[in-house]
Amino acid sequence: MSRTSTAASTARRAARLVAVGLAIHSAANAHLLRRPPAASAKILGGERISVLLPLRDEAHRLMPCLRALTSQVGLDEAAAVEFVVFDDDSCDNTADLVAAVCGHEPRMRLIRSSGPPPAGFFGKPWACSQLAAAADPNATVLVFLDADVVLAPEALTRTVTLLREARLDFVSPYPRQRADSPAERLVQPLLQWSWLTFAPLRLAERTAHRSLALANGQLLAVDAARYAAAGGHHGDGVRNGVLEDVALARALRGIGASGGMADGTPIATCRMYDGWEQLRDGYTKSLWAAGGGHPAVSLGQLALLSWLYLRPDPVTYAAGVASRVIAARKSGARVLPDVLAHPLSIATLVALTARSWQHRLTGRLQWKGRPLPTPSA
């Protein structure tokens, strides 16, 4: 046997071992993933919860989120709650919709902004920082929420119960991701699959390594005192973070805070994008930052995914599909036939990452009508 064929055989065996090992790891993570417990009035007693909702041009999908907020149960009786909404200079009637709801919901407040964020801030971190500054100064828990998230009636009480019962400083119950169009079904399931497959979830909750910090800004609850101690969204690396949720988790990890991901499928749903164009533009904005903004790290991530899941090998293919089945069942996503297209999903992700880096290096990144400057790598 030639050296070339021997090396190829060794590489094939190594890829099989790694792919199978990752599938087993995803099963272990699915078993260990925290799930919001039933709300506990005893745990919630005395909590003051500020729910913070940043908005920019969200009129087309905002009302389900607002209705769900005003329909939350188990609050007021066991914990004080307020809803603070920041309209970031929307060009549509987002602010008018919120103002109409505020007229019937005394716990909701609207803050309006005019003009772009100040120098050094990206849009969402700026909005979140303004929300945190406007929150009840006696708040014990801050809950950051995105406009595309629809909460179940007990979502807030169960989230805060999880935060306190697990003795964490922050927690992100990951919503069930709605993926309706073919493009969404091809790419969106990779979100939950990636952290279930590659991240050691329980270790990541309490390790000192900032690289393992995990969070999802769609639904993120954080102890208010720990948030302030970490610098909040004003902190270095957070205020100009494209992935501001992960940047905030790293800042929290930097002060010794504990936290990470949880199973949010029973309490929230989210549809991030509607169709290929929205998905393409959304991933173009952010995928370059998935490796910390370092080209070599990003290239290494793509090389690993390609080595494992784009090779014509039945074992690595089966292992990839198995891990996708585990992630889909855990997160409430479709299983068949979607998981069978796993190599095509990975190939699409590679292409989207390349597009993201192209836009970053040529200064063409933008989001919601604003150019998106990027910090140096």
Side-chain angles (χ1 to χ4, degrees), residues 182-188 190 276 279-280 283-284 287 302 305-306 310 341-356:
E184 296 165 69
R185 291 171 61 181
L186 186 65
V187 177
Q188 288 298 89
L190 293 179
W276 168 249
L279 183 147
R280 178 200 62 199
Y283 278 87
T284 296
L287 276 178
L302 297 183
L305 290 173
S306 300
L310 296 186
H342 185 58
L344 182 57
S345 297
I346 296 296
T348 305
L349 180 66
V350 170
L352 287 170
T353 304
R355 187 178 195 268
S356 181

Side-chain angles (χ1 to χ4, degrees), residues 43-222:
I43 292 177
L44 292 172
E47 297 282 6
R48 302 183 68 86
I49 305 166
S50 291
V51 181
L52 310 178
L53 181 64
L55 303 175
R56 177 169 167 80
D57 296 338
E58 301 286 4
H60 62 290
R61 62 180 179 182
L62 177 60
M63 288 311 296
C65 176
L66 294 180
R67 292 192 197 100
L69 276 182
T70 59
S71 300
Q72 291 298 294
V73 299
L75 299 170
D76 292 330
E77 301 92 346
V81 66
E82 66 171 354
F83 308 116
V84 189
V85 183
F86 181 83
D87 177 64
D88 184 11
D89 198 24
S90 293
C91 299
D92 60 11
N93 64 329
T94 292
D96 295 335
L97 293 176
V98 177
V101 175
C102 288
H104 304 283
E105 176 51 81
R107 300 173 298 179
M108 185 173 291
R109 292 187 283 126
L110 171 64
I111 304 168
R112 299 175 189 244
S113 174
S114 59
F121 267 98
F122 288 174
K124 188 177 178 183
W126 165 246
C128 290
S129 71
Q130 297 305 290
L131 285 163
D136 179 356
N138 296 312
T140 57
V141 178
L142 305 179
V143 179
F144 294 94
L145 185 71
D146 281 356
D148 49 12
V149 175
V150 179
L151 298 178
E154 288 192 344
L156 291 177
T157 56
R158 294 181 67 183
T159 296
V160 176
T161 297
L162 172 63
L163 179 75
R164 297 311 192 195
E165 194 174 78
R167 298 183 180 181
L168 298 173
D169 297 307
F170 66 95
V171 68
S172 291
Y174 199 86
R176 181 175 67 83
Q177 302 295 312
R178 283 185 51 200
D180 296 343
S181 71
E184 296 165 69
R185 291 171 61 181
L186 186 65
V187 177
Q188 288 298 89
L190 293 179
L191 293 175
Q192 57 266 31
W193 169 81
S194 61
W195 52 264
L196 272 171
T197 300
F198 292 95
L201 294 183
R202 287 299 178 92
L203 175 64
E205 285 183 350
R206 303 185 188 275
T207 180
H209 294 287
R210 291 157 59 97
S211 61
L212 290 178
L214 298 172
N216 176 20
Q218 293 174 352
L219 174 56
L220 171 60
V222 56

Side-chain angles (χ1 to χ4, degrees), residues 186-348:
L186 186 65
V187 177
Q188 288 298 89
L190 293 179
L191 293 175
Q192 57 266 31
W193 169 81
S194 61
W195 52 264
L196 272 171
T197 300
F198 292 95
L201 294 183
R202 287 299 178 92
L203 175 64
E205 285 183 350
R206 303 185 188 275
T207 180
H209 294 287
R210 291 157 59 97
S211 61
L212 290 178
L214 298 172
N216 176 20
Q218 293 174 352
L219 174 56
L220 171 60
V222 56
D223 179 85
R226 300 295 265 172
Y227 174 86
H233 286 85
H234 269 88
D236 292 339
V238 183
R239 60 176 175 264
N240 60 358
V242 176
L243 301 176
E244 88 297 329
D245 44 10
V246 176
L248 178 61
R250 288 176 176 168
L252 287 161
R253 183 72 77 243
I255 62 165
S258 60
M261 307 296 285
D263 180 7
T265 56
I267 62 172
T269 60
C270 176
R271 188 180 185 189
M272 290 178 63
Y273 305 119
D274 183 358
W276 168 249
E277 289 189 3
Q278 286 188 16
L279 183 147
R280 178 200 62 199
D281 293 345
Y283 278 87
T284 296
K285 172 202 66 169
S286 59
L287 276 178
W288 70 271
H294 301 290
V297 175
S298 185
L299 183 61
Q301 291 173 337
L302 297 183
L304 175 63
L305 290 173
S306 300
W307 178 62
L308 290 174
Y309 303 115
L310 296 186
R311 60 173 51 244
D313 183 277
V315 175
T316 56
Y317 172 72
V321 168
S323 62
R324 283 285 301 272
V325 169
I326 292 166
R329 291 192 180 280
K330 191 64 181 178
S331 62
R334 290 182 179 89
V335 179
L336 294 174
D338 298 38
V339 301
L340 300 178
H342 185 58
L344 182 57
S345 297
I346 296 296
T348 305

